[in-house]
Amino acid sequence: MAKSPIVIIGSQRSEVGLSAGMDVLRNGGSALDAVEAAMRRCEDDVDDHYVGTGGLPNAAGVVELDAAVMIGSSRAFGGVGAVRGFPHPISIARRVLEQLPQHCLLVGEGAELFAAEQGFERAELLTDEAARLFRSSLSPANGIGEVPTTPENERYRATALDLVRRFAPHDGPWGTIDILALDAHGELVVGVSTSGFPWKYPGRVGDSALPGAGLYCDARFGAAACTGRGELTMRVTGARMVVDALAAGADPVESCRRMLVEASSVPDQFSSDVRAVCLTPDGRHGAAACKPGATYSVMTDGDAEPAVLQAAVL
Ligand code: GLY
Protein backbone atom coordinates (compact mmCIF):
# COMPACT_ATOMS: atom_id res chain seq x y z
CA MET A 1 0.00 0.00 0.00
CA ALA A 2 1.34 3.45 -0.95
CA LYS A 3 2.25 5.61 2.01
CA SER A 4 0.66 9.02 2.41
CA PRO A 5 2.77 12.15 2.67
CA ILE A 6 3.16 13.18 6.32
CA VAL A 7 2.10 16.76 7.02
CA ILE A 8 1.28 18.81 10.09
CA ILE A 9 -0.17 22.29 9.91
CA GLY A 10 -1.64 24.76 12.36
CA SER A 11 -3.10 28.16 12.95
CA GLN A 12 -1.05 31.19 13.94
CA ARG A 13 1.38 30.45 16.83
CA SER A 14 1.06 26.66 16.42
CA GLU A 15 4.69 26.64 15.23
CA VAL A 16 5.67 26.31 18.91
CA GLY A 17 4.44 22.72 18.76
CA LEU A 18 4.60 21.54 15.15
CA SER A 19 8.15 20.14 15.34
CA ALA A 20 7.13 17.89 18.23
CA GLY A 21 4.21 16.65 16.15
CA MET A 22 6.39 16.07 13.09
CA ASP A 23 8.83 14.03 15.22
CA VAL A 24 5.93 11.72 16.06
CA LEU A 25 4.94 11.37 12.39
CA ARG A 26 8.53 10.75 11.25
CA ASN A 27 8.83 7.96 13.79
CA GLY A 28 5.77 6.27 12.32
CA GLY A 29 3.39 7.62 14.96
CA SER A 30 -0.26 8.37 14.39
CA ALA A 31 -1.80 11.68 13.45
CA LEU A 32 -3.65 11.56 16.79
CA ASP A 33 -0.40 11.25 18.74
CA ALA A 34 1.15 14.00 16.60
CA VAL A 35 -1.70 16.45 17.20
CA GLU A 36 -1.66 15.77 20.94
CA ALA A 37 2.13 16.12 21.23
CA ALA A 38 2.15 19.36 19.24
CA MET A 39 -0.77 20.87 21.11
CA ARG A 40 0.64 20.05 24.54
CA ARG A 41 3.70 22.16 23.66
CA CYS A 42 1.41 25.05 22.78
CA GLU A 43 -0.62 24.59 25.96
CA ASP A 44 2.61 24.76 27.99
CA ASP A 45 3.73 28.02 26.35
CA VAL A 46 3.14 30.60 29.10
CA ASP A 47 3.82 33.42 26.65
CA ASP A 48 0.75 32.42 24.67
CA HIS A 49 -2.28 34.04 26.28
CA TYR A 50 -4.94 32.13 24.36
CA VAL A 51 -4.26 28.54 25.28
CA GLY A 52 -3.44 26.40 28.33
CA THR A 53 -1.24 27.75 31.12
CA GLY A 54 -0.94 31.51 30.71
CA GLY A 55 -4.32 31.76 28.97
CA LEU A 56 -6.33 34.88 29.73
CA PRO A 57 -9.07 34.38 32.31
CA ASN A 58 -12.83 34.81 32.17
CA ALA A 59 -14.69 37.78 33.62
CA ALA A 60 -14.30 36.34 37.11
CA GLY A 61 -10.52 36.14 36.72
CA VAL A 62 -10.46 32.33 36.33
CA VAL A 63 -8.87 30.50 33.40
CA GLU A 64 -11.40 28.19 31.69
CA LEU A 65 -10.26 26.05 28.78
CA ASP A 66 -11.98 24.37 25.81
CA ALA A 67 -10.42 21.68 23.61
CA ALA A 68 -11.42 18.93 21.23
CA VAL A 69 -10.04 16.35 18.85
CA MET A 70 -11.63 14.56 15.88
CA ILE A 71 -10.44 11.55 13.86
CA GLY A 72 -11.13 11.54 10.13
CA SER A 73 -11.59 7.83 9.39
CA SER A 74 -14.19 7.21 12.11
CA ARG A 75 -15.37 10.76 12.76
CA ALA A 76 -14.88 9.96 16.43
CA PHE A 77 -14.95 13.10 18.54
CA GLY A 78 -13.91 14.03 22.07
CA GLY A 79 -14.17 17.44 23.64
CA VAL A 80 -14.12 19.35 26.91
CA GLY A 81 -15.50 22.78 27.70
CA ALA A 82 -15.02 25.33 30.50
CA VAL A 83 -12.43 23.15 32.26
CA ARG A 84 -10.59 24.75 35.17
CA GLY A 85 -7.31 23.72 36.73
CA PHE A 86 -5.96 21.21 34.21
CA PRO A 87 -3.12 22.37 31.95
CA HIS A 88 -3.62 19.96 29.03
CA PRO A 89 -7.27 19.97 27.93
CA ILE A 90 -6.29 18.42 24.57
CA SER A 91 -5.27 15.25 26.43
CA ILE A 92 -8.52 15.18 28.42
CA ALA A 93 -10.44 15.61 25.14
CA ARG A 94 -8.54 12.68 23.66
CA ARG A 95 -9.38 10.59 26.73
CA VAL A 96 -13.09 11.45 26.29
CA LEU A 97 -12.82 10.21 22.70
CA GLU A 98 -11.07 7.00 23.71
CA GLN A 99 -12.61 6.15 27.10
CA LEU A 100 -16.15 7.49 26.79
CA PRO A 101 -17.30 6.46 23.32
CA GLN A 102 -20.91 6.89 24.48
CA HIS A 103 -20.21 10.63 24.85
CA CYS A 104 -18.57 13.35 22.76
CA LEU A 105 -18.35 16.33 25.10
CA LEU A 106 -17.96 16.97 28.82
CA VAL A 107 -18.06 20.42 30.38
CA GLY A 108 -17.27 22.14 33.67
CA GLU A 109 -17.37 20.06 36.83
CA GLY A 110 -18.07 16.83 34.96
CA ALA A 111 -15.05 17.30 32.74
CA GLU A 112 -12.90 18.06 35.79
CA LEU A 113 -14.24 14.98 37.61
CA PHE A 114 -13.41 12.84 34.58
CA ALA A 115 -9.93 14.38 34.28
CA ALA A 116 -9.21 13.67 37.94
CA GLU A 117 -10.51 10.09 37.58
CA GLN A 118 -8.21 9.62 34.60
CA GLY A 119 -5.23 10.72 36.69
CA PHE A 120 -4.54 14.11 35.12
CA GLU A 121 -2.63 16.48 37.41
CA ARG A 122 -4.19 19.75 38.51
CA ALA A 123 -2.21 23.01 38.20
CA GLU A 124 -2.66 26.75 38.60
CA LEU A 125 -3.15 28.13 35.09
CA LEU A 126 -3.37 31.85 35.85
CA THR A 127 0.14 33.23 35.42
CA ASP A 128 1.27 36.55 36.90
CA GLU A 129 1.35 38.06 33.41
CA ALA A 130 -2.18 36.91 32.55
CA ALA A 131 -3.41 38.25 35.90
CA ARG A 132 -1.71 41.58 35.14
CA LEU A 133 -3.45 41.74 31.75
CA PHE A 134 -6.76 40.96 33.45
CA ARG A 135 -6.24 43.74 36.00
CA SER A 136 -5.28 46.20 33.29
CA SER A 137 -8.51 45.36 31.45
CA LEU A 138 -10.27 46.76 34.51
CA SER A 139 -8.37 50.06 34.44
CA PRO A 140 -10.08 53.45 34.53
CA ALA A 141 -8.71 54.02 31.00
CA ASN A 142 -11.08 51.30 29.81
CA GLY A 143 -13.97 53.04 31.51
CA ILE A 144 -14.71 50.30 33.96
CA GLY A 145 -13.19 51.71 37.14
CA GLU A 146 -10.54 50.63 39.61
CA VAL A 147 -9.78 46.98 40.19
CA PRO A 148 -12.45 45.92 42.66
CA THR A 149 -11.23 44.51 45.93
CA THR A 150 -14.50 42.68 46.60
CA PRO A 151 -14.70 38.88 46.75
CA GLU A 152 -14.73 37.04 43.47
CA ASN A 153 -18.48 36.85 43.08
CA GLU A 154 -19.03 40.54 43.60
CA ARG A 155 -16.23 41.40 41.22
CA TYR A 156 -17.77 39.14 38.63
CA ARG A 157 -21.19 40.74 38.94
CA ALA A 158 -19.69 44.21 38.74
CA THR A 159 -17.59 43.58 35.70
CA ALA A 160 -18.78 40.60 33.71
CA LEU A 161 -21.37 42.22 31.51
CA ASP A 162 -19.26 45.28 30.70
CA LEU A 163 -16.31 43.09 29.89
CA VAL A 164 -18.29 40.73 27.72
CA ARG A 165 -19.63 43.69 25.78
CA ARG A 166 -16.08 44.78 25.03
CA PHE A 167 -14.68 41.42 23.91
CA ALA A 168 -11.42 43.11 23.00
CA PRO A 169 -8.40 40.87 22.53
CA HIS A 170 -5.16 42.31 23.87
CA ASP A 171 -2.54 43.58 21.41
CA GLY A 172 -0.34 41.09 19.58
CA PRO A 173 -0.95 37.78 17.80
CA TRP A 174 -4.05 36.25 19.35
CA GLY A 175 -6.45 33.40 18.97
CA THR A 176 -7.15 29.78 19.48
CA ILE A 177 -4.69 27.13 18.29
CA ASP A 178 -5.71 24.57 15.67
CA ILE A 179 -3.44 21.66 14.68
CA LEU A 180 -4.17 19.27 11.78
CA ALA A 181 -2.08 16.23 10.88
CA LEU A 182 -1.92 13.61 8.13
CA ASP A 183 0.00 10.43 8.96
CA ALA A 184 1.67 7.83 6.75
CA HIS A 185 -1.44 5.62 6.89
CA GLY A 186 -3.61 8.39 5.49
CA GLU A 187 -5.31 9.17 8.78
CA LEU A 188 -6.36 12.78 9.26
CA VAL A 189 -6.84 14.29 12.71
CA VAL A 190 -7.68 17.80 13.88
CA GLY A 191 -7.29 19.19 17.39
CA VAL A 192 -8.18 22.59 18.84
CA SER A 193 -7.33 24.14 22.20
CA THR A 194 -8.15 27.55 23.64
CA SER A 195 -8.74 29.67 26.70
CA GLY A 196 -11.49 31.28 24.63
CA PHE A 197 -12.31 34.93 24.47
CA PRO A 198 -10.56 36.90 27.19
CA TRP A 199 -12.94 38.06 29.95
CA LYS A 200 -15.70 35.80 28.62
CA TYR A 201 -18.77 35.14 30.74
CA PRO A 202 -17.98 32.27 33.13
CA GLY A 203 -19.21 28.98 31.71
CA ARG A 204 -19.10 30.22 28.13
CA VAL A 205 -18.05 27.38 25.80
CA GLY A 206 -16.85 28.37 22.34
CA ASP A 207 -16.64 26.69 18.98
CA SER A 208 -13.34 24.97 19.84
CA ALA A 209 -15.18 22.25 21.75
CA LEU A 210 -17.91 21.73 19.17
CA PRO A 211 -17.85 19.35 16.19
CA GLY A 212 -18.78 21.09 12.97
CA ALA A 213 -18.23 24.57 14.41
CA GLY A 214 -14.59 24.89 15.53
CA LEU A 215 -13.35 21.68 13.97
CA TYR A 216 -14.40 18.89 11.64
CA CYS A 217 -12.61 15.99 10.03
CA ASP A 218 -13.62 13.42 7.42
CA ALA A 219 -10.75 11.35 6.02
CA ARG A 220 -12.44 11.18 2.60
CA PHE A 221 -12.41 14.95 2.10
CA GLY A 222 -10.31 16.81 4.65
CA ALA A 223 -9.89 18.36 8.05
CA ALA A 224 -10.70 21.94 8.97
CA ALA A 225 -10.63 24.19 12.01
CA CYS A 226 -11.52 27.76 12.86
CA THR A 227 -10.23 30.53 15.08
CA GLY A 228 -11.64 33.91 16.01
CA ARG A 229 -15.18 34.65 17.01
CA GLY A 230 -16.57 31.25 17.92
CA GLU A 231 -20.14 32.43 18.19
CA LEU A 232 -20.05 33.10 14.45
CA THR A 233 -18.56 29.75 13.45
CA MET A 234 -21.09 28.04 15.72
CA ARG A 235 -23.93 29.79 13.94
CA VAL A 236 -22.73 28.72 10.48
CA THR A 237 -21.09 25.40 11.51
CA GLY A 238 -17.90 26.80 10.03
CA ALA A 239 -15.51 23.84 10.05
CA ARG A 240 -18.13 21.54 8.57
CA MET A 241 -18.77 24.12 5.85
CA VAL A 242 -15.08 24.06 4.90
CA VAL A 243 -15.03 20.25 4.70
CA ASP A 244 -18.25 20.26 2.68
CA ALA A 245 -16.62 22.66 0.20
CA LEU A 246 -13.59 20.35 -0.07
CA ALA A 247 -15.99 17.45 -0.68
CA ALA A 248 -17.62 19.46 -3.46
CA GLY A 249 -14.23 19.84 -5.15
CA ALA A 250 -13.15 23.34 -4.09
CA ASP A 251 -9.44 23.84 -3.36
CA PRO A 252 -8.34 24.47 0.26
CA VAL A 253 -8.17 28.26 0.12
CA GLU A 254 -11.47 28.56 -1.73
CA SER A 255 -13.08 26.18 0.79
CA CYS A 256 -11.98 28.40 3.68
CA ARG A 257 -13.11 31.54 1.84
CA ARG A 258 -16.61 30.17 1.22
CA MET A 259 -17.08 29.67 4.94
CA LEU A 260 -15.81 33.17 5.72
CA VAL A 261 -18.25 34.67 3.22
CA GLU A 262 -21.07 32.89 5.02
CA ALA A 263 -19.82 33.84 8.51
CA SER A 264 -19.44 37.47 7.43
CA SER A 265 -23.05 37.52 6.27
CA VAL A 266 -24.37 36.78 9.76
CA PRO A 267 -25.51 39.87 11.69
CA ASP A 268 -23.18 40.27 14.66
CA GLN A 269 -22.44 43.29 16.82
CA PHE A 270 -19.13 41.79 18.01
CA SER A 271 -17.76 41.23 14.52
CA SER A 272 -14.16 40.31 15.22
CA ASP A 273 -12.07 38.25 12.82
CA VAL A 274 -12.82 34.66 11.84
CA ARG A 275 -10.13 32.45 10.31
CA ALA A 276 -10.05 28.91 8.92
CA VAL A 277 -7.34 26.41 8.05
CA CYS A 278 -7.70 23.06 6.28
CA LEU A 279 -5.74 19.99 5.16
CA THR A 280 -6.75 17.43 2.53
CA PRO A 281 -6.13 13.65 2.51
CA ASP A 282 -3.47 14.15 -0.20
CA GLY A 283 -1.60 16.77 1.84
CA ARG A 284 -2.81 20.03 0.26
CA HIS A 285 -3.52 22.85 2.66
CA GLY A 286 -4.75 26.42 2.86
CA ALA A 287 -6.02 29.09 5.19
CA ALA A 288 -8.04 32.27 4.96
CA ALA A 289 -8.97 35.14 7.27
CA CYS A 290 -11.43 38.01 7.19
CA LYS A 291 -8.68 40.54 7.95
CA PRO A 292 -5.13 40.86 6.55
CA GLY A 293 -2.03 39.73 8.44
CA ALA A 294 -3.05 36.24 9.55
CA THR A 295 -0.60 33.41 9.08
CA TYR A 296 -0.64 29.64 9.36
CA SER A 297 2.20 27.18 9.74
CA VAL A 298 3.12 24.05 7.79
CA MET A 299 5.68 21.31 8.30
CA THR A 300 6.28 18.40 5.90
CA ASP A 301 8.69 15.47 6.14
CA GLY A 302 11.51 17.37 4.44
CA ASP A 303 11.31 20.48 6.61
CA ALA A 304 13.73 21.24 9.43
CA GLU A 305 11.26 23.71 10.92
CA PRO A 306 7.73 24.94 10.27
CA ALA A 307 7.18 27.39 7.42
CA VAL A 308 4.99 30.35 8.33
CA LEU A 309 2.67 31.19 5.40
CA GLN A 310 0.26 34.04 4.82
CA ALA A 311 -3.43 33.17 5.02
CA ALA A 312 -5.51 34.34 2.09
CA VAL A 313 -7.71 37.35 2.83
CA LEU A 314 -11.43 37.30 2.20
N1 GLY B 1 -12.68 30.39 18.54
C1 GLY B 1 -12.42 30.35 19.91
C2 GLY B 1 -13.49 30.84 20.76
O1 GLY B 1 -14.39 31.52 20.28
O2 GLY B 1 -13.45 30.59 21.94
Side-chain angles (χ1 to χ4, degrees):
M1 189 176 109
K3 286 179 106 181
S4 289
I6 56 173
V7 186
I8 187 163
I9 74 171
S11 57
Q12 199 152 351
R13 302 179 343 284
S14 67
E15 50 278 10
V16 167
L18 292 192
S19 298
M22 181 48 76
D23 286 347
V24 171
L25 295 175
R26 283 189 182 127
N27 288 323
S30 70
L32 183 59
D33 286 340
V35 166
E36 184 183 15
M39 192 67 87
R40 286 176 66 98
R41 292 285 175 93
C42 299
E43 291 174 337
D44 284 337
D45 179 7
V46 295
D47 294 326
D48 190 318
H49 294 306
Y50 288 87
V51 64
T53 306
L56 291 173
N58 65 17
V62 180
V63 179
E64 282 185 345
L65 303 176
D66 301 337
V69 65
M70 185 165 186
I71 298 176
S73 59
S74 58
R75 280 171 277 171
F77 184 93
V80 290
V83 174
R84 300 176 174 199
F86 289 91
H88 295 117
I90 193 69
S91 296
I92 310 172
R94 175 178 180 168
R95 213 60 81 80
V96 170
L97 184 156
E98 291 176 333
Q99 301 296 325
L100 289 180
Q102 67 275 49
H103 296 315
C104 280
L105 176 63
L106 298 178
V107 300
E109 272 181 32
E112 292 155 21
L113 175 67
F114 174 70
E117 281 176 2
Q118 291 289 313
F120 289 101
E121 296 284 327
R122 290 179 189 273
E124 175 54 71
L125 306 181
L126 185 67
T127 59
D128 291 347
E129 175 62 6
R132 189 190 66 71
L133 289 164
F134 176 67
R135 285 194 301 273
S136 69
S137 78
L138 302 174
S139 74
N142 285 342
I144 300 173
E146 298 292 344
V147 179
T149 54
T150 51
E152 183 177 287
N153 281 350
E154 284 183 41
R155 183 175 65 209
Y156 145 63
R157 289 193 190 99
T159 61
L161 294 178
D162 272 341
L163 289 167
V164 166
R165 281 190 197 104
R166 287 160 202 271
F167 266 151
H170 80 294
D171 289 341
W174 59 274
T176 294
I177 294 196
D178 306 327
I179 296 181
L180 302 80
L182 174 64
D183 68 27
H185 302 288
E187 183 64 279
L188 267 175
V189 171
V190 56
V192 179
S193 187
T194 190
S195 51
F197 265 89
W199 341 135
K200 63 192 175 185
Y201 202 96
R204 179 263 191 187
V205 174
D207 61 330
S208 306
L210 303 181
L215 66 164
Y216 197 72
C217 193
D218 183 327
R220 297 170 296 176
F221 310 121
C226 303
T227 61
R229 180 147 164 68
E231 281 74 5
L232 276 183
T233 65
M234 284 190 246
R235 289 162 72 194
V236 301
T237 55
R240 176 65 195 251
M241 276 198 73
V242 176
V243 173
D244 282 352
L246 291 170
D251 70 32
V253 168
E254 174 59 18
S255 298
C256 293
R257 273 192 214 269
R258 285 185 193 175
M259 185 280 285
L260 297 183
V261 169
E262 183 69 9
S264 302
S265 75
V266 172
D268 181 49
Q269 60 178 311
F270 305 107
S271 52
S272 59
D273 200 5
V274 173
R275 303 168 182 178
V277 58
C278 68
L279 176 64
T280 65
D282 56 1
R284 291 171 298 128
H285 49 79
C290 292
K291 297 179 182 169
T295 62
Y296 74 110
S297 299
V298 177
M299 199 167 179
T300 62
D301 200 6
D303 298 329
E305 55 189 42
V308 177
L309 307 178
Q310 289 296 318
V313 183
L314 183 62

